[in-house]
Amino acid sequence: MAAICVFCASSRTLDQRWLELAAETGAQLARRGHTLVSGGGCVGMMGALADGARAAGGRTLGVIPQSLVDLEVADLASDELLVTESMADRKTLMIEKSDAFLTLPGGLGTLDELFEVWTTATLALHAKPMVLVDTDGFYRPMLDWLAALADQTFLKPAGLDLLAVARTVPEALDTIESRLT
């Protein structure tokens, strides 16, 4: 099956429902036979995601910069943990190692990763499926803003169309699986 990179929050102060969403996402990836590619952290949603995948028998690949290893937040239980020199190197390696991308709720780091893969797709540097999970309308304000950018021609509609939006993780995984070539 596919190596699916999941972007999500690594905050230690999140509401339990977000941790449960991440753990269930990891479990669903594993049950469908996919490898989880993550940011290699063991905290917040990122840690719950990897734990959920492993608990369901899935394989995990973490990619983390040395600076975060030094802060002792590396997912040392990963089946494979790749350590990079920088955050930029981390994103590049995550893109190279993944067949598709799924974005769960998150903050600046999550958005940075989403926009990196989305921008490189608009430049035709890859054609890998990208799905944003808009749980409970989490991303609705951002999606409305992006639609306004397209209306003002700052963003081409074709670029906007590269990112699929799903309300649930099963819907997101179905979309990814239907788009994998």
Side-chain angles (χ1 to χ4, degrees), residues 106-175:
L108 290 177
T110 301
L111 293 172
D112 176 52
E113 293 164 335
L114 167 64
F115 282 105
E116 177 87 14
V117 297
W118 195 359
T119 300
T120 54
T122 65
L123 297 172
L125 298 176
H126 73 82
K128 299 173 182 182
M130 302 171 295
V131 181
L132 179 73
V133 180
D134 189 28
T135 302
D136 297 334
F138 183 88
Y139 283 113
R140 179 54 35 209
M142 182 188 78
L143 294 168
D144 290 344
W145 172 70
L146 290 166
L149 288 181
D151 289 344
Q152 297 176 53
T153 68
F154 285 102
L155 174 62
K156 294 179 183 174
L160 193 58
D161 293 341
L162 289 174
L163 180 68
V165 178
R167 290 189 319 238
T168 66
V169 171
E171 180 186 341
L173 293 174
D174 289 345
T175 300

Side-chain angles (χ1 to χ4, degrees), residues 17-101:
R17 76 184 189 123
W18 299 119
L19 300 174
E20 290 168 4
L21 174 67
E24 182 55 28
T25 300
Q28 288 185 43
L29 280 167
R31 286 194 293 269
R32 290 180 183 224
H34 300 298
T35 295
L36 168 65
V37 177
S38 77
C42 65
V43 295
M45 290 175 72
M46 196 182 307
L49 174 73
D51 289 344
R54 284 190 293 272
R59 182 177 187 282
T60 59
L61 167 62
V63 183
I64 190 167
Q66 183 64 52
S67 61
L68 294 181
V69 173
D70 295 344
L71 291 175
E72 298 182 352
V73 295
D75 180 13
L76 300 177
S78 286
D79 294 301
E80 185 176 0
L81 187 64
L82 304 176
V83 180
T84 64
E85 248 183 69
S86 69
M87 293 291 277
D89 292 340
R90 173 202 219 179
K91 289 184 290 186
T92 299
L93 193 55
M94 290 169 81
I95 292 169
E96 289 173 5
K97 295 287 186 182
S98 301
D99 300 310
F101 305 92

